[in-house]
Tab-separated table of all heavy atoms in Angstrom:
chain	number	residue	atom	x	y	z
A	107	ASN	N	-71.618	0.833	25.297
A	107	ASN	CA	-71.617	1.837	24.222
A	107	ASN	C	-72.714	1.584	23.190
A	107	ASN	O	-73.152	2.502	22.511
A	107	ASN	CB	-70.266	1.874	23.508
A	107	ASN	CG	-69.147	2.380	24.387
A	107	ASN	OD1	-69.371	2.875	25.477
A	107	ASN	ND2	-67.929	2.240	23.908
A	108	GLN	N	-73.140	0.344	23.079
A	108	GLN	CA	-74.143	-0.028	22.076
A	108	GLN	C	-75.571	0.168	22.564
A	108	GLN	O	-76.491	0.247	21.760
A	108	GLN	CB	-73.955	-1.497	21.679
A	108	GLN	CG	-72.581	-1.806	21.132
A	108	GLN	CD	-72.296	-3.299	21.171
A	108	GLN	OE1	-73.195	-4.117	21.203
A	108	GLN	NE2	-71.015	-3.649	21.198
A	109	TRP	N	-75.768	0.204	23.873
A	109	TRP	CA	-77.108	0.256	24.425
A	109	TRP	C	-77.717	1.645	24.327
A	109	TRP	O	-77.057	2.656	24.553
A	109	TRP	CB	-77.106	-0.163	25.883
A	109	TRP	CG	-76.854	-1.628	26.096
A	109	TRP	CD1	-76.916	-2.624	25.165
A	109	TRP	CD2	-76.491	-2.263	27.317
A	109	TRP	NE1	-76.620	-3.826	25.731
A	109	TRP	CE2	-76.358	-3.635	27.052
A	109	TRP	CE3	-76.270	-1.793	28.602
A	109	TRP	CZ2	-76.019	-4.549	28.033
A	109	TRP	CZ3	-75.927	-2.704	29.586
A	109	TRP	CH2	-75.807	-4.067	29.305
A	110	ASP	N	-79.016	1.675	24.025
A	110	ASP	CA	-79.729	2.945	24.047
A	110	ASP	C	-80.058	3.300	25.504
A	110	ASP	O	-79.857	2.490	26.416
A	110	ASP	CB	-80.970	2.905	23.160
A	110	ASP	CG	-82.022	1.898	23.605
A	110	ASP	OD1	-82.133	1.592	24.820
A	110	ASP	OD2	-82.761	1.411	22.729
A	111	PHE	N	-80.536	4.524	25.715
A	111	PHE	CA	-80.789	5.022	27.062
A	111	PHE	C	-81.792	4.141	27.809
A	111	PHE	O	-81.611	3.839	28.990
A	111	PHE	CB	-81.271	6.472	26.979
A	111	PHE	CG	-81.425	7.161	28.304
A	111	PHE	CD1	-80.543	6.946	29.348
A	111	PHE	CD2	-82.456	8.068	28.499
A	111	PHE	CE1	-80.686	7.601	30.568
A	111	PHE	CE2	-82.598	8.735	29.709
A	111	PHE	CZ	-81.723	8.491	30.742
A	112	GLY	N	-82.839	3.694	27.127
A	112	GLY	CA	-83.829	2.825	27.763
A	112	GLY	C	-83.196	1.541	28.279
A	112	GLY	O	-83.478	1.092	29.393
A	113	THR	N	-82.319	0.941	27.481
A	113	THR	CA	-81.641	-0.292	27.886
A	113	THR	C	-80.661	-0.015	29.021
A	113	THR	O	-80.557	-0.801	29.968
A	113	THR	CB	-80.909	-0.927	26.683
A	113	THR	OG1	-81.867	-1.153	25.637
A	113	THR	CG2	-80.244	-2.239	27.057
A	114	LEU	N	-79.936	1.104	28.949
A	114	LEU	CA	-79.013	1.468	30.027
A	114	LEU	C	-79.749	1.564	31.363
A	114	LEU	O	-79.270	1.066	32.384
A	114	LEU	CB	-78.307	2.790	29.717
A	114	LEU	CG	-77.232	2.748	28.641
A	114	LEU	CD1	-76.860	4.166	28.212
A	114	LEU	CD2	-76.000	2.001	29.136
A	115	LYS	N	-80.922	2.201	31.355
A	115	LYS	CA	-81.701	2.334	32.587
A	115	LYS	C	-82.156	0.966	33.086
A	115	LYS	O	-82.079	0.668	34.278
A	115	LYS	CB	-82.899	3.255	32.373
A	115	LYS	CG	-82.517	4.706	32.171
A	115	LYS	CD	-83.704	5.637	32.186
A	115	LYS	CE	-84.590	5.462	30.985
A	115	LYS	NZ	-85.642	6.503	30.887
A	116	MET	N	-82.615	0.126	32.172
A	116	MET	CA	-83.154	-1.182	32.530
A	116	MET	C	-82.071	-2.141	33.043
A	116	MET	O	-82.300	-2.908	33.969
A	116	MET	CB	-83.852	-1.789	31.308
A	116	MET	CG	-84.527	-3.117	31.563
A	116	MET	SD	-85.339	-3.738	30.094
A	116	MET	CE	-83.955	-3.987	28.999
A	117	LYS	N	-80.875	-2.097	32.464
A	117	LYS	CA	-79.820	-3.065	32.780
A	117	LYS	C	-78.942	-2.657	33.971
A	117	LYS	O	-78.117	-3.443	34.422
A	117	LYS	CB	-78.911	-3.262	31.564
A	117	LYS	CG	-79.603	-3.845	30.363
A	117	LYS	CD	-79.501	-5.323	30.365
A	117	LYS	CE	-80.001	-5.887	29.047
A	117	LYS	NZ	-79.907	-7.323	29.028
A	118	ALA	N	-79.115	-1.441	34.488
A	118	ALA	CA	-78.287	-0.992	35.607
A	118	ALA	C	-78.509	-1.882	36.832
A	118	ALA	O	-79.643	-2.215	37.161
A	118	ALA	CB	-78.602	0.462	35.956
A	119	ASP	N	-77.423	-2.264	37.497
A	119	ASP	CA	-77.535	-3.021	38.746
A	119	ASP	C	-78.094	-2.133	39.852
A	119	ASP	O	-78.795	-2.607	40.738
A	119	ASP	CB	-76.164	-3.532	39.182
A	119	ASP	CG	-75.864	-4.930	38.674
A	119	ASP	OD1	-76.483	-5.359	37.682
A	119	ASP	OD2	-74.990	-5.594	39.268
A	120	HIS	N	-77.725	-0.859	39.814
A	120	HIS	CA	-78.170	0.106	40.824
A	120	HIS	C	-78.411	1.444	40.143
A	120	HIS	O	-77.713	1.800	39.192
A	120	HIS	CB	-77.105	0.307	41.911
A	120	HIS	CG	-76.687	-0.959	42.578
A	120	HIS	ND1	-77.356	-1.500	43.638
A	120	HIS	CD2	-75.666	-1.809	42.317
A	120	HIS	CE1	-76.770	-2.621	44.013
A	120	HIS	NE2	-75.738	-2.829	43.220
A	121	THR	N	-79.397	2.195	40.647
A	121	THR	CA	-79.675	3.546	40.168
A	121	THR	C	-79.699	4.467	41.378
A	121	THR	O	-80.450	4.238	42.322
A	121	THR	CB	-81.024	3.600	39.421
A	121	THR	OG1	-80.984	2.683	38.332
A	121	THR	CG2	-81.304	5.001	38.914
A	122	LEU	N	-78.841	5.478	41.341
A	122	LEU	CA	-78.749	6.422	42.455
A	122	LEU	C	-79.197	7.801	42.001
A	122	LEU	O	-78.540	8.422	41.165
A	122	LEU	CB	-77.301	6.506	42.957
A	122	LEU	CG	-76.613	5.194	43.335
A	122	LEU	CD1	-75.148	5.447	43.672
A	122	LEU	CD2	-77.327	4.547	44.498
A	123	PRO	N	-80.316	8.316	42.538
A	123	PRO	CA	-80.728	9.683	42.210
A	123	PRO	C	-79.806	10.681	42.906
A	123	PRO	O	-79.481	10.524	44.076
A	123	PRO	CB	-82.154	9.780	42.752
A	123	PRO	CG	-82.446	8.503	43.451
A	123	PRO	CD	-81.249	7.627	43.393
A	124	LEU	N	-79.376	11.703	42.201
A	124	LEU	CA	-78.447	12.688	42.763
A	124	LEU	C	-79.080	13.527	43.861
A	124	LEU	O	-78.378	14.069	44.702
A	124	LEU	CB	-77.895	13.595	41.675
A	124	LEU	CG	-77.004	12.917	40.638
A	124	LEU	CD1	-76.499	13.946	39.639
A	124	LEU	CD2	-75.851	12.208	41.289
A	125	GLY	N	-80.381	13.651	43.886
A	125	GLY	CA	-81.045	14.504	44.863
A	125	GLY	C	-81.207	13.898	46.244
A	125	GLY	O	-81.678	14.562	47.158
A	126	LYS	N	-80.820	12.653	46.425
A	126	LYS	CA	-80.983	11.996	47.726
A	126	LYS	C	-79.987	12.551	48.742
A	126	LYS	O	-78.947	13.091	48.398
A	126	LYS	CB	-80.767	10.480	47.595
A	126	LYS	CG	-81.883	9.760	46.897
A	126	LYS	CD	-83.082	9.666	47.799
A	126	LYS	CE	-84.111	8.711	47.224
A	126	LYS	NZ	-85.216	8.481	48.123
A	127	LYS	N	-80.305	12.358	50.021
A	127	LYS	CA	-79.422	12.814	51.095
A	127	LYS	C	-78.067	12.125	50.987
A	127	LYS	O	-77.969	10.973	50.573
A	127	LYS	CB	-80.037	12.498	52.459
A	127	LYS	CG	-81.194	13.364	52.816
A	127	LYS	CD	-81.640	13.076	54.237
A	127	LYS	CE	-82.777	13.998	54.595
A	127	LYS	NZ	-83.207	13.813	55.973
A	128	LYS	N	-77.049	12.845	51.410
A	128	LYS	CA	-75.674	12.345	51.370
A	128	LYS	C	-75.550	10.997	52.087
A	128	LYS	O	-74.909	10.068	51.598
A	128	LYS	CB	-74.756	13.388	52.005
A	128	LYS	CG	-73.305	13.175	51.797
A	128	LYS	CD	-72.534	14.367	52.364
A	128	LYS	CE	-71.078	14.288	52.060
A	128	LYS	NZ	-70.348	15.462	52.526
A	129	SER	N	-76.178	10.852	53.249
A	129	SER	CA	-76.085	9.607	54.024
A	129	SER	C	-76.725	8.436	53.280
A	129	SER	O	-76.240	7.307	53.349
A	129	SER	CB	-76.725	9.776	55.400
A	129	SER	OG	-78.089	10.127	55.267
A	130	TRP	N	-77.828	8.684	52.549
A	130	TRP	CA	-78.480	7.625	51.779
A	130	TRP	C	-77.564	7.153	50.661
A	130	TRP	O	-77.385	5.953	50.460
A	130	TRP	CB	-79.812	8.127	51.206
A	130	TRP	CG	-80.571	7.052	50.484
A	130	TRP	CD1	-81.473	6.182	51.039
A	130	TRP	CD2	-80.498	6.728	49.095
A	130	TRP	NE1	-81.954	5.342	50.077
A	130	TRP	CE2	-81.379	5.643	48.866
A	130	TRP	CE3	-79.772	7.230	48.015
A	130	TRP	CZ2	-81.555	5.068	47.621
A	130	TRP	CZ3	-79.945	6.648	46.767
A	130	TRP	CH2	-80.831	5.582	46.568
A	131	VAL	N	-76.964	8.098	49.938
A	131	VAL	CA	-76.057	7.746	48.842
A	131	VAL	C	-74.863	6.971	49.388
A	131	VAL	O	-74.466	5.947	48.838
A	131	VAL	CB	-75.596	8.997	48.057
A	131	VAL	CG1	-74.541	8.644	47.026
A	131	VAL	CG2	-76.786	9.678	47.391
A	132	LYS	N	-74.307	7.429	50.510
A	132	LYS	CA	-73.153	6.764	51.120
A	132	LYS	C	-73.499	5.321	51.484
A	132	LYS	O	-72.717	4.399	51.245
A	132	LYS	CB	-72.713	7.544	52.361
A	132	LYS	CG	-71.423	7.067	52.958
A	132	LYS	CD	-71.002	8.016	54.083
A	132	LYS	CE	-69.549	7.833	54.417
A	132	LYS	NZ	-69.058	8.890	55.285
A	133	ASN	N	-74.670	5.099	52.038
A	133	ASN	CA	-75.101	3.748	52.394
A	133	ASN	C	-75.250	2.874	51.146
A	133	ASN	O	-74.833	1.715	51.136
A	133	ASN	CB	-76.408	3.789	53.183
A	133	ASN	CG	-76.776	2.422	53.710
A	133	ASN	OD1	-75.970	1.767	54.368
A	133	ASN	ND2	-77.978	1.984	53.403
Side-chain angles (χ1 to χ4, degrees):
N107 293 350
Q108 302 162 23
W109 289 345
D110 63 29
F111 186 37
T113 303
L114 287 167
K115 291 189 291 189
M116 183 179 64
K117 297 269 189 180
D119 267 22
H120 304 275
T121 302
L122 306 174
L124 294 181
K126 288 286 191 174
K127 287 186 178 183
K128 192 174 186 176
S129 60
W130 184 89
V131 174
K132 188 173 197 169
N133 187 53

